[in-house]
Amino acid sequence: MASPPVDQSGWRADFPILQRKIHDMPLIYLDSAASTQKPQRVLDAMTSFYAQHNSNVHRGIHTLSEEATTAYEAARDKVTSFINASSRQEVVFTRNTTESINLLAQSWARANLRGGDVVLLSEMEHHANLVPWQLLRQQIGIELRFIPVTDEGRLELEALDALLDERVKLLSVAHVSNVLGTINPVELLIARAHGVGARVHLDAAQSVPHMPVDVQALNVDFLSFSGHKMCGPTGIGIFWGRKALLNAMPPFLGGGDMISVVTLDEVTWADLPHKFEAGTPSIAEAIGLGAAIDYLSEIGMATIHGHEQALTAYALEACAQIDGLQLLGPSSANERAGLLTFTLDGVHPHDIAATLDERAIAIRAGHHCAQPLHARFGIPASARASFYLYNEAWEIDALVEGLEEAQRLYAF
Ligand code: PMP
């Protein structure tokens, strides 16, 4: 067995919920790919906003409103430097990754694509990067193509020659798969798609929280992610796009805050990014996300990625010892992010999750919003353990013991 990674970092202590006991045992939270826990300073930032500065933004000429606006816009600056966007005007606050991708489909794609144009996706997409395109297909008759997934859970790059032609106007793929853990070779994909004149969107819901992501270095066109998967609150997400592209796009939602001048007959739009932020935004949530970004940045995204890879290598080696455990995705830790999805022969994933819950271990069981990918592997459901900076090697030991217990109880 590999020696446990050095992880006496103390990060676990920053998260109040991880002091909780479930069934009188310390909580082992291995469901961060669904949503992460929040450090105390994120909770403090949100409480302090509501206790001291609460007001609407961009509207009032009074002290509280100015303070709220300053804090909300400061959060945008933090996101801007976190992903190295070239301008704060490129950073649009949404509710989550799902809303960001719907914005892309209903604004950019609806304005720029016609019937017969192609959007290229992959077989490993989360429903958030599939259903908005299926809706657009119903609405304007685009064609969808899919990059196949190999048995090892990688994108089948050889298929690109046949899939990528001048009819492809957009490539939209997951940077990291939420099921397979695969880190996709996005530099190569971006270059190939640009080679046929297509734009590229990355679903970065599982990458931005876990590793350094630099939109300028990637040379990508659009990027989406969610605050709640990176130590921030729910209700806040990011849609990033190149300024020239965003400027040329029509608004997605209409209402207050996104306009410049409105008469009964006409309307003109506000400047970026406000053109895409209709109505009262998620103010406390943006501020909470800003605090989360400060927290992650102080630790360093490369450090977080290294910690998760060490945990993943340890977990992969431990799981390889369990007879009947079938892992989905690549078997080497340096090709994947910090999550393990698997099935156990003879044990339903829900029974795995219930057995682990008895031991205060939280994992996920089901299709993880990726039904076509499960169909590709011929399984209805799987179990997923996912890691973040607050996880430690002893929690993986407990996971392995719990899986062995599930086998004893259920396998036939
Ligand atoms: N894409 C991927 C790869 C995801 O893992 C998730 C969340 N499971 C989403 C999109 C959707 O994120 P949200 O529910 O925050 O919109």
Side-chain angles (χ1 to χ4, degrees):
M1 189 156 215
S3 52
V6 179
D7 55 15
Q8 307 314 319
S9 50
W11 297 322
R12 188 179 163 88
D14 297 336
F15 294 79
I17 204 170
L18 299 178
Q19 317 308 313
R20 237 201 99 171
K21 295 218 153 60
I22 306 267
H23 316 308
D24 260 348
M25 285 171 281
L27 168 62
I28 295 180
Y29 188 75
L30 302 178
D31 195 17
S32 294
S35 200
T36 61
Q37 299 303 347
K38 323 301 172 200
Q40 186 64 50
R41 61 196 273 184
V42 168
L43 308 179
D44 289 347
M46 295 179 75
T47 305
S48 151
F49 169 73
Y50 280 125
Q52 302 294 332
H53 313 286
N54 178 47
S55 174
N56 213 329
V57 289
H58 301 145
R59 293 175 198 182
I61 309 186
H62 60 76
T63 303
L64 288 186
S65 179
E66 279 172 16
E67 287 173 1
T69 304
T70 302
Y72 177 72
E73 292 301 332
R76 195 187 312 276
D77 291 332
K78 291 174 191 194
V79 176
T80 306
S81 49
F82 192 64
I83 58 169
N84 194 30
S86 60
S87 160
R88 66 191 313 281
Q89 290 186 292
E90 298 181 334
V91 173
V92 176
F93 285 124
T94 60
R95 273 189 311 134
N96 47 36
T97 305
T98 304
E99 186 176 302
S100 299
I101 300 176
N102 278 276
L103 190 169
L104 177 68
Q106 292 300 320
S107 169
W108 179 82
R110 210 165 172 157
N112 288 284
L113 271 49
R114 335 244 147 289
D117 284 345
V118 175
V119 173
L120 180 58
L121 309 170
S122 88
E123 278 181 352
M124 66 167 76
E125 298 314 313
H126 186 283
H127 296 164
N129 191 33
L130 173 60
V131 180
W133 305 112
Q134 292 174 324
L135 276 171
L136 193 67
R137 178 168 62 184
Q138 287 171 6
Q139 289 161 343
I140 64 167
I142 54 164
E143 183 187 324
L144 299 182
R145 292 182 190 162
F146 300 93
I147 308 172
V149 170
T150 66
D151 289 344
E152 298 75 39
R154 299 186 186 90
L155 290 179
E156 199 177 305
L157 299 176
E158 300 71 41
L160 284 178
D161 287 341
L163 290 169
L164 261 182
D165 58 31
E166 317 290 91
R167 280 176 57 211
V168 178
K169 301 292 182 242
L170 178 74
L171 168 68
S172 181
V173 284
H175 191 173
V176 169
S177 161
N178 68 314
V179 176
L180 304 163
T182 318
I183 303 174
N184 286 321
V186 289
E187 287 88 350
L188 179 148
L189 292 168
I190 292 166
R192 291 289 305 269
H194 283 168
V196 298
R199 298 289 178 194
V200 182
H201 165 255
L202 289 183
D203 171 352
Q206 298 292 349
S207 61
V208 165
H210 300 279
M211 60 185 70
V213 172
D214 177 330
V215 289
Q216 294 188 70
L218 282 174
N219 197 25
V220 66
D221 301 299
F222 301 107
L223 185 102
S224 304
F225 56 99
S226 297
H228 70 97
K229 292 184 196 282
M230 51 189 290
C231 295
T234 52
I236 189 81
I238 301 295
F239 177 66
W240 170 86
R242 288 179 195 273
K243 197 167 160 186
L245 295 172
L246 294 183
N247 261 327
M249 282 161 57
F252 171 42
L253 301 173
D257 245 27
M258 49 74 72
I259 48 81
S260 173
V261 179
V262 185
T263 68
L264 289 183
D265 298 318
E266 278 174 46
V267 52
T268 54
W269 315 130
D271 286 340
L272 291 176
H274 306 293
K275 179 171 79 173
F276 294 110
E277 293 180 10
T280 300
S282 301
I283 305 167
E285 289 76 6
I287 292 166
L289 174 60
I293 287 176
D294 285 344
Y295 176 75
L296 296 173
S297 303
E298 279 166 28
I299 294 167
M301 294 312 293
T303 304
I304 292 171
H305 185 51
H307 174 79
E308 289 178 19
Q309 284 201 313
L311 282 175
T312 306
Y314 183 62
L316 281 172
E317 200 162 330
C319 287
Q321 313 302 318
I322 303 178
D323 271 349
L325 185 145
Q326 321 287 348
L327 181 77
L328 274 81
S331 51
S332 74
N334 54 10
E335 270 185 273
R336 52 190 302 154
L339 63 90
L340 295 185
T341 300
F342 53 88
T343 55
L344 264 187
D345 291 349
V347 191
H348 192 284
H350 286 173
D351 291 330
I352 302 176
T355 307
L356 293 173
D357 183 59
E358 296 283 309
R359 294 168 169 242
I361 304 172
I363 65 149
R364 196 133 198 110
H367 53 62
H368 321 295
C369 295
Q371 284 183 355
L373 182 65
H374 280 77
R376 153 71 183 83
F377 284 97
I379 49 174
S382 57
R384 180 182 71 191
S386 52
F387 316 130
Y388 209 15
L389 73 164
Y390 38 69
N391 291 118
E392 300 181 351
W394 64 271
E395 297 176 294
I396 289 168
D397 297 337
L399 169 70
V400 170
E401 281 168 27
L403 293 176
E404 287 166 350
E405 168 78 351
Q407 275 185 321
R408 275 194 296 276
L409 288 174
Y410 292 100
F412 46 80

